[in-house]
Amino acid sequence: METMTFGKAETEYTVDEDGTRITNIPFEKFISERSRPEHAVTVNINENAAGEENSQSINTAIETLADGGVIYIPYGEYKVSTIRLKSNITLFIPKGAKLVSLDCEENLKSPNPLDTAVIFAEHAENVTITGGGTICGSGESYTLDAIESKPLYALKEFNLYTRVIESRKRIRFGKKVARNNIVHFSRCTNILIDNIVLEESAGWTCVINHCSDVEIKNMVIDNHMHVANTDGIDICNSSNVLVSNCFIATGDDAIVLKSPENEIKNVTVEHCVLSSFANCFKIGTETQFAVSDITVRNCRFFLPDGITGGYSGIAIESADGADINNVTIDTIAMDGISAPILIWLGCRFRYNKRAVGSIDNVSISNVNATNTELPSAVTGCKYDSEIYAVKNITLRNIRAYYRDTEENLSVKENVSDSSMNDYPEITRISHIYFKSHELSEYWDLPCYSLFMRYAEGVEYSTYRTVARTCNHRDEFYMESVHGRR
């Protein structure tokens, strides 16, 4: 790989020699030590006990608190299976305490295996997880080895196919077993997750599903950054959610909104630091119901050490019929993110709804993206011979600066519908999938800054990109519902 890459770059955050974990997460900025609450019930658990035994002790203590209360985990490291929270319960895990999930082999042999998550609550209200301690998902044990273990740094000569294939070689895909979340709240209200570390998830890390009135703050997610499907925070079918002051480093989307079963409304993400080998902030791809009133502000997105990979900093996708409206994103710094922005209205239709949705009224302002590798894209779709356009998009004061490599591009001057309708992460690079990624065709888009197709009312006059020195492509590409112009 040394002949292919630039090698390490000097960045604020660094990774280990395998390029899989951030080595200098500033925990002190997000996690604090807090005193044991008065009247807390200290659970009698044992560092040498089986995970099922410790979970039974914790769950029994929770059940004995008929009117709610605080469950306190003593200092130490404890193996656990699933812990079930109920209404009016606070789970207090102090700094110096760690709950460790059953690993894959233990879970397969267990008489009481993990069920959905390490920490799980359903139909509950007024629930808190806090304390400054750690919950570990033992995620690496649930995955296969990657084909390649060396980090993938920026290509000396950027080639899209090479970048895609080499990135995929480093993914640890899951074994054919259930992979549980670390935290999962389902159909709950008034939830607080504050001052906690989640590490090494086996699947989606923190899931908020069919919930309302949720606050997540002062949280660190420290995942293996090449384990597949390890989203950081999944806000699914939920409304009235605030995420603030979180550090998330993970292999899949860092913060993602999904609406396959219910609408999402009134979500704010602010003052977060996000690192992802997929998308840092994403709406989609599972999008059957409406998503509206979304705010993201004052965040930083990055990949460390000059490592390459991933898709977008900001991805807004309606693939399954959802109407996405009133999204405001402001003051975002990006470093090493492949493409700053993807806005994609598609016609995948994974669910029952068989009508194309909409994306309308999106404002993205004050973005500074360094070391990019691909253009941004704003695109609608054609379905059943009718064009569906993305509408009313404002891109104000966007600055993007490419890594100044050589490039070996396969530019597709006339972009076809067939090459843009596949899995939406690929829409800014245009491809047709044949059985495997290795057999697929990949094309670079015919511009270096912003690709716009089937889009109406896009304001982009202050969008500026500094291309590679060797660039030969146009800055912008615009194809309206009436054809290219």
Side-chain angles (χ1 to χ4, degrees), residues 146-324:
I147 295 173
E148 177 60 68
S149 61
K150 294 181 181 179
L152 178 63
Y153 297 110
L155 305 181
K156 283 185 176 180
E157 182 181 72
F158 181 82
N159 177 267
L160 186 57
Y161 177 85
T162 301
R163 219 293 298 273
V164 170
I165 299 306
E166 289 297 329
S167 295
R168 291 187 65 80
K169 285 180 181 178
R170 286 152 176 81
I171 298 175
R172 295 181 66 104
F173 291 101
K175 298 174 182 176
K176 293 183 178 180
V177 297
R179 290 193 285 160
N180 294 277
N181 316 130
I182 294 182
V183 172
H184 189 123
F185 285 96
S186 178
R187 303 182 187 278
C188 297
T189 59
N190 196 20
I191 302 303
L192 174 63
I193 303 172
D194 174 27
N195 195 42
I196 206 75
V197 178
L198 308 181
E199 70 173 28
E200 202 183 333
S201 185
W204 296 359
T205 308
C206 179
V207 179
I208 306 299
N209 186 33
H210 287 283
C211 295
S212 65
D213 302 306
V214 178
E215 185 173 6
I216 302 171
K217 62 181 180 178
N218 308 317
M219 183 171 73
V220 171
I221 293 179
D222 178 15
N223 280 340
H224 188 298
M225 295 188 69
H226 289 314
V227 171
N229 306 118
T230 51
D231 297 356
I233 299 174
D234 288 80
I235 300 169
C236 305
N237 316 299
S238 299
S239 294
N240 303 323
V241 180
L242 172 63
V243 180
S244 64
N245 198 49
C246 293
F247 186 106
I248 300 175
T250 192
D252 213 320
D253 303 322
I255 297 178
V256 54
L257 281 54
K258 304 173 185 285
S259 61
E261 298 173 343
N262 197 16
E263 70 171 355
I264 295 175
K265 189 172 184 177
N266 190 25
V267 174
T268 298
V269 176
E270 60 186 10
H271 305 296
C272 290
V273 180
L274 309 178
S275 186
S276 168
F277 277 91
N279 304 281
C280 291
F281 173 79
K282 178 181 176 184
I283 298 174
T285 303
E286 295 90 332
T287 43
Q288 182 175 202
F289 289 83
V291 180
S292 63
D293 302 325
I294 309 301
T295 301
V296 182
R297 59 193 173 213
N298 301 311
C299 293
R300 180 174 181 183
F301 305 159
F302 75 96
L303 279 179
D305 281 353
I307 284 177
T308 186
Y311 304 125
S312 296
I314 300 162
I316 299 171
E317 307 169 2
S318 172
D320 307 311
D323 294 320
I324 298 177

Side-chain angles (χ1 to χ4, degrees), residues 302-353:
F302 75 96
L303 279 179
D305 281 353
I307 284 177
T308 186
Y311 304 125
S312 296
I314 300 162
I316 299 171
E317 307 169 2
S318 172
D320 307 311
D323 294 320
I324 298 177
N325 180 265
N326 196 22
V327 178
T328 303
I329 300 175
D330 186 28
T331 312
I332 307 295
M334 303 183 191
D335 185 14
I337 303 301
S338 290
I341 298 165
L342 169 64
I343 299 174
W344 183 84
L345 174 61
C347 49
R348 184 181 65 168
F349 302 145
R350 174 174 287 183
Y351 307 100
N352 294 328
K353 196 171 184 178

